[in-house]
Amino acid sequence: MTRESLFNIVMMSLLILFPLWAWIADEPFMITLATKAVILALAGVGLNIALGLGGLVSLGHAAFFGIGGYAMGILASHAQSYSPILESPFLIEGTKSMPVIWLVAIISSGLAALAIGVLSLRTTGVYFIMITLAFGQMLFFFSISWPAYGGEDGLPIYVRNGFPGLNTLDPIQFYGICFAILAVVLFFCARLAKSPFGLALNAARQTAERVETVGISPYRLRLAAFTISGMITGLAGALFADLNRFVSPTMFSWQTSGEIMVFVILGGVARLFGPVVGAALFILLEHLLGGLSDYWHIYLGLLLLLIVLFARGGVIGTFAGKGANHD
Amino acid sequence: MTKVILETRGISKSFGALQASKDVSIDLRAGEIHALIGPNGAGKSTLIKQIAGSLAPDAGQVFLNGQDVTALKTAARAKRGLGRTFQISALAMEDTVLQNVTLGALGAGASPFQFWRAALDDQAMRAVAEDALQRVGLQDHASAMTAELSHGQRRQLEVAVALTLKPRAFVMDEPMAGLGTEGSKRLTVFLDGLRAEAPILLVEHDMDAVFALADRISVLVYGEVIATGTVHEIRTNPDVRAAYLGDEE
Ligand SMILES: Nc1ncnc2c1ncn2[C@@H]1O[C@H](COP(=O)(O)OP(=O)(O)OP(=O)(O)O)[C@@H](O)[C@H]1O
Ligand SMILES: [Mg+2]
């Protein structure tokens, strides 16, 4: 077993043991913190497919996070007010069912990623970063100026959505749902990295010319990666909205895009558990330092700087050494 | 007449004031090795890039199996049977040797849009990949990281990746460069046999290899083909001797 897989197992155990401890010790706030970490990790895992495997530096992943969030907000708010979303030409009603909301979040953020990908993946480097940022900002301003769903003030949801057979209002049960989703997605990502698609995408990041020369279009690979990436981040957005029972334009902001990227870089780009470690560290720092100073982001920035300068593989790279993002 | 597999008609390309290809028309026939020689900066790689599709010509066409592929992208040309090796190795350096050849096998056969099963567990693809490694003599390095290969081994890997595609025509840009005497000799023997599978357009500076292998030779000088002929014809051509071979004998 490699040091990295050992590290991953430890991380996974922590994600099980810490909330269990909090549950037994009756510390619901700690469970909520863990839930937040797991959801943000999921958003980062989504970005990591584009960024880590595909080398696509997207500064617009808040777009998908926000779309997932608003998918939840819109569906749940209509269910809560018993008013249909659409009456003609056919009836679409709101819902409080988590699985349905997730599905809508995944599909709508996937479609958005496909569209943004088509328009932005012809460019590379700084232009790609700027175009993805611009799309994120576009949705941000759109959400602000759309009064039907709260506009600038955001949209509160008064009840948590339901999952068959579970009490989602119980913090530990909601945590269980989020953790299970993260675990499933991580498993999928581990497979993806070794699949023919992962092999080709990873090669296209290193040398697009080679990939073309064997008859594969790098553009199509990247478009598929960007879409899958957006779907996962969108799902995280829906869960995040459910955690807070609130959606607002902040989910679309470029700061959100930046934070998702910070998780990935902190933990280790292209490492399966990179975003998980990154998001956990982020939440930990926010909790510890946020109490000391309103300007805790300065310390975060400092840490990020140190990592970028001295530990290119992020936390995982430092612990587990250089290497095998796939062996 | 033997069948023409690959052909350029009137290819021209300029970089600003520099004309790197001047009305180049050459062809590659079934079963042959057609060597393309010429001094540094003559425009050999530029021509290869236009044939492979990574550089668009200003004028002229490229035909593959009788079809005009000038408008097609690199990937589409590869799908139609064009196998290329690079003058400067273009390999996924962070991947293993086996992963690099498997990529070739993937492009040739299966779809890359498979998200679940491990690529290296696919027996059919693996067989193609391992066979290609075997043929170039890299079978013992399958699990080595590509970045750790010697220069010569990377050149071999370039050829192995091209083999996985089972191309209808090869275009090779200086496959012997930096191989050393032993390596060049081995690759010469290998290419000699390979022409029976698919003809090779071979850009090469190693004149021993060229004279040993070529059925025909074209000489490119300042972007222009100044002569095409058999080894004997080229060696005795006064223009060629003046422009390129003169300093050799
Ligand atoms: N993208 C480019 N932009 C400008 N000039 C270029 C470009 N590519 C090639 N050239 C120029 O075109 C000429 C032909 O270059 P090319 O690489 O085709 O030569 P070559 O025959 O392959 O030489 P060598 O034997 O050194 O590999 C050179 O003068 C080179 O500097
Ligand atoms: Mg050259």
Side-chain angles (χ1 to χ4, degrees):
Chain A
M1 193 192 305
T2 64
R3 283 177 71 172
E4 184 169 344
S5 22
L6 195 69
F7 187 92
N8 294 349
I9 290 171
V10 170
M11 197 62 212
M12 213 59 181
S13 313
L14 279 177
L15 287 182
I16 294 171
L17 294 176
F18 176 77
L20 270 182
W21 161 81
W23 182 49
I24 291 165
D26 197 20
E27 297 262 12
F29 178 67
M30 288 295 155
I31 301 178
T32 301
L33 275 188
T35 311
K36 192 174 169 191
V38 162
I39 294 171
L40 294 178
L42 184 65
V45 168
L47 176 64
N48 206 20
I49 292 179
L51 181 67
L53 267 185
L56 306 169
V57 186
S58 163
L59 204 50
H61 260 52
F64 315 124
F65 196 63
I67 287 173
Y70 273 85
M72 176 280 187
I74 292 170
L75 287 169
S77 70
H78 281 277
Q80 155 176 300
S81 63
Y82 299 103
S83 59
I85 297 173
L86 197 72
E87 272 172 310
S88 66
F90 40 80
L91 185 71
I92 300 179
E93 286 192 277
T95 177
K96 288 182 183 172
S97 156
M98 280 188 185
V100 175
I101 288 170
W102 298 340
L103 197 67
V104 173
I106 290 171
I107 292 172
S108 47
S109 52
L111 288 174
L114 185 68
I116 293 175
V118 165
L119 295 169
S120 60
L121 283 168
R122 301 274 178 202
T123 65
T124 52
V126 177
Y127 298 99
F128 180 77
I129 299 177
M130 287 299 132
I131 291 184
T132 49
L133 175 66
F135 276 112
Q137 288 300 92
M138 232 171 69
L139 286 166
F140 172 71
F141 287 112
F142 180 73
S143 66
I144 280 184
S145 57
W146 198 17
Y149 297 105
E152 205 168 349
D153 299 330
L155 180 65
I157 305 295
Y158 300 105
V159 280
R160 183 162 283 160
N161 298 298
F163 189 90
L166 292 178
N167 172 14
T168 54
L169 275 173
D170 179 5
I172 193 73
Q173 294 193 40
F174 184 59
Y175 176 82
I177 291 174
C178 297
F179 175 76
I181 289 178
L182 178 68
V184 167
V185 171
L186 281 173
F187 184 63
F188 168 74
C189 287
R191 301 292 306 217
L192 184 89
K194 288 179 194 268
S195 71
F197 178 76
L199 179 74
L201 180 65
N202 194 37
R205 174 176 56 79
Q206 300 170 58
T207 160
E209 209 169 23
R210 158 60 58 210
V211 172
E212 284 183 284
T213 304
V214 300
I216 301 170
S217 153
Y219 171 75
R220 287 192 206 165
L221 291 172
R222 290 173 183 150
L223 187 58
F226 196 69
T227 304
I228 295 170
S229 168
M231 288 160 98
I232 295 173
T233 301
L235 176 59
L239 292 172
F240 193 70
D242 232 326
L243 172 69
N244 301 323
R245 275 176 272 165
F246 177 66
V247 280
S248 79
T250 312
M251 286 184 79
F252 279 119
S253 70
W254 64 266
Q255 287 93 334
T256 301
S257 290
E259 278 179 10
I260 299 174
M261 191 175 290
V262 165
F263 308 149
V264 179
I265 296 172
L266 269 184
V269 177
R271 308 291 182 137
L272 182 62
F273 272 69
V276 181
V277 176
L281 201 60
F282 185 90
I283 296 297
L284 190 70
L285 289 176
E286 186 180 48
H287 180 64
L288 295 179
L289 302 176
L292 299 179
S293 151
D294 284 344
Y295 301 106
W296 75 277
H297 279 99
I298 294 175
Y299 301 105
L300 178 71
L302 213 60
L303 180 69
L304 200 61
L305 204 65
L306 287 175
I307 284 195
V308 171
L309 288 179
F310 301 112
R312 293 293 292 274
V315 174
I316 296 188
T318 309
F319 274 91
K322 187 169 156 264
N325 28 16
H326 48 91
D327 39 26
Chain B
M1 207 186 98
T2 13
K3 196 171 172 242
V4 172
I5 306 291
L6 181 68
E7 188 184 0
T8 70
R9 284 189 203 156
I11 290 277
S12 291
K13 179 76 191 179
S14 297
F15 299 114
L18 178 86
Q19 203 173 356
S21 303
K22 274 185 213 159
D23 196 21
V24 178
S25 299
I26 55 169
D27 62 17
L28 180 67
R29 300 170 192 162
E32 78 168 342
I33 292 181
H34 187 159
L36 187 63
I37 63 172
N40 289 109
K44 303 180 295 293
S45 295
T46 302
L47 183 64
I48 295 291
K49 283 174 196 161
Q50 293 172 96
I51 291 173
S54 54
L55 187 70
D58 297 337
Q61 292 106 38
V62 179
F63 290 84
L64 185 60
N65 292 308
Q67 284 183 312
D68 187 346
V69 296
T70 318
L72 297 184
K73 290 192 176 156
T74 304
R77 294 185 199 194
K79 279 275 180 217
R80 281 163 196 243
L82 195 65
R84 173 194 186 186
T85 70
F86 291 85
Q87 180 171 4
I88 297 159
S89 297
L91 299 162
M93 289 296 169
E94 297 167 25
D95 287 353
T96 64
V97 169
L98 185 61
Q99 282 172 323
N100 269 284
V101 264
T102 304
L103 180 72
L106 181 61
S111 155
F113 293 95
Q114 302 174 61
F115 303 91
W116 192 250
R117 222 166 74 123
L120 299 184
D121 288 349
D122 185 314
Q123 292 309 320
M125 239 153 59
R126 183 132 185 175
V128 172
E130 282 173 350
D131 177 57
L133 285 182
Q134 181 90 41
R135 291 184 67 186
V136 301
L138 279 178
Q139 66 278 6
D140 295 336
H141 298 86
S143 54
M145 292 305 287
T146 306
E148 287 158 12
L149 291 185
S150 72
H151 175 80
Q153 289 168 329
R154 287 182 200 173
R155 310 295 317 167
Q156 288 169 291
L157 183 53
E158 276 278 327
V159 175
V161 178
L163 286 177
T164 58
L165 301 174
K166 307 229 174 334
R168 313 276 295 266
F170 288 99
V171 284
M172 299 190 174
D173 199 351
E174 300 201 26
M176 317 253 175
L179 274 194
T181 336
E182 263 316 296
S184 293
K185 269 187 193 147
R186 242 186 297 127
L187 190 56
T188 303
V189 173
F190 180 72
L191 296 184
D192 194 19
L194 188 62
R195 82 179 97 193
E197 287 171 39
I200 307 168
L201 181 63
L202 178 68
V203 172
E204 195 44 71
H205 273 300
D206 180 339
M207 282 307 135
D208 292 335
V210 167
F211 292 146
L213 286 172
D215 297 292
R216 288 189 298 153
I217 301 175
S218 286
V219 185
L220 203 65
V221 178
Y222 292 121
E224 206 168 2
V225 178
I226 61 164
T228 297
T230 62
V231 171
H232 180 72
E233 283 162 3
I234 294 299
R235 289 186 88 155
T236 52
N237 183 316
D239 293 344
V240 174
R241 296 182 72 100
Y244 185 49
L245 296 177
D247 47 14
E248 292 224 337
E249 285 158 289

